Amino acid sequence: MDVKIEKSWKGKLSHEFEKDYFSSLTSFVKSEFQSKTIYPPAKEIFRAFDACPFNEVKVVILGQDPYHGAGQANGLCFSVHPGVPMPPSLVNIFKERKSDLGKQMPPNGDLTVWAKQGVLLLNATLTVAAKSPGSHQKKGWEEFTDAVIQKLSNDKEDLVFILWGAYAQKKGIVIDRNKHFVIESAHPSPFAAHRGFYGSKPFSRCNEFLTAQNKDPIDW
């Protein structure tokens, strides 16, 4: 199957695109686009990969579903395009960034600047129906993104995986922790952030590790 995705990822994932589950997933997503409003737009489904080629990945942040509100999802987990109000989880991420690094709230919630520095902003499910959270779960996306995480764990060394919340932590079980640095905490959502997300210092901890591996830190 000819999937429009950044070429280094296409080489790494070509065998996944030939599997039966991916064919079924593709048929499902196409039919959903024909009958419903689906986010993100088709051209942004693989934007996390397009913005951060395999060879450049240094950090992986795992999300769950794309945002399901109008105009929110942009293919990067937790991110929204400029001009779109920041969802509460993203506001809390920036609050923790300020506490951790002293950086003020940015003018918008577009995280492309992180992706361009080697941060793979990966949702477990890459599409969702409007106003229907979880509507594209268990259709094949999770199997695909599990394969992505496995490939990163196997083929690269000294990555930082940032796993916020129980869902991401369960998905991260396949990560080889002898090769990679894993940062875990509560999810940044308003329902959970006070349970250990605030004060977890993921940004400085990530950069300390990268610096120790002679890699450029991320300008968060």
Side-chain angles (χ1 to χ4, degrees):
M1 182 178 296
D2 184 28
V3 176
K4 291 179 172 59
I5 192 171
E6 191 275 332
K7 62 182 180 181
S8 67
W9 283 107
K10 193 165 191 174
K12 290 290 183 180
L13 299 171
S14 56
H15 60 290
E16 292 299 315
F17 301 141
E18 302 306 319
K19 291 183 177 178
D20 289 344
Y21 86 85
F22 198 87
S23 178
S24 298
L25 170 63
T26 301
S27 297
F28 167 75
V29 172
K30 284 181 177 178
S31 68
E32 288 282 283
F33 267 101
Q34 289 169 359
S35 60
K36 301 175 184 175
T37 299
I38 303 299
Y39 301 127
K43 67 180 186 298
E44 293 184 333
I45 291 173
F46 293 110
R47 185 160 170 254
F49 303 92
D50 297 336
C52 186
F54 185 88
N55 303 344
E56 297 175 17
V57 177
K58 296 191 289 188
V59 181
V60 182
I61 297 179
L62 282 183
Q64 189 167 354
D65 259 13
Y67 296 125
H68 56 87
Q72 290 182 307
N74 70 3
L76 308 179
C77 73
F78 296 106
S79 176
V80 292
H81 283 304
V84 177
M86 292 187 205
S89 291
L90 184 56
V91 171
N92 289 344
I93 287 169
F94 285 127
K95 285 181 180 177
E96 176 59 20
R97 186 185 73 156
K98 182 178 181 182
S99 171
D100 187 7
L101 302 177
K103 292 198 167 200
Q104 298 302 312
M105 191 69 71
N108 61 66
D110 185 3
L111 303 182
T112 303
V113 65
W114 294 3
K116 294 296 186 183
Q117 297 177 77
V119 182
L120 180 67
L121 294 158
L122 180 67
N123 275 316
T125 304
L126 299 189
T127 54
V128 70
K131 301 178 183 177
S132 186
S135 51
H136 286 192
Q137 291 178 3
K138 298 181 173 61
K139 302 295 184 182
W141 279 130
E142 294 92 341
E143 187 170 346
F144 173 69
T145 52
D146 281 349
V148 171
I149 295 167
Q150 189 76 69
K151 181 62 72 173
L152 287 163
S153 180
N154 290 349
D155 289 11
K156 295 181 77 76
E157 294 184 0
D158 300 324
L159 295 179
V160 180
F161 287 87
I162 299 177
L163 310 179
W164 289 326
Y167 183 90
Q169 289 158 22
K170 183 177 180 181
K171 196 169 180 70
I173 287 174
V174 300
I175 299 164
D176 184 345
R177 294 171 192 235
N178 294 316
K179 293 173 62 182
H180 306 289
F181 182 47
V182 178
I183 297 172
E184 298 182 333
S185 77
H187 195 276
S189 84
F191 304 106
H194 61 282
R195 294 197 215 114
F197 175 73
Y198 292 138
S200 61
K201 300 186 180 298
F203 307 107
S204 60
R205 290 167 64 198
C206 172
N207 280 351
E208 286 167 8
F209 177 82
L210 292 175
T211 301
Q213 308 306 317
N214 296 313
K215 296 183 179 183
D216 290 336
I218 307 299
D219 181 3
W220 299 104

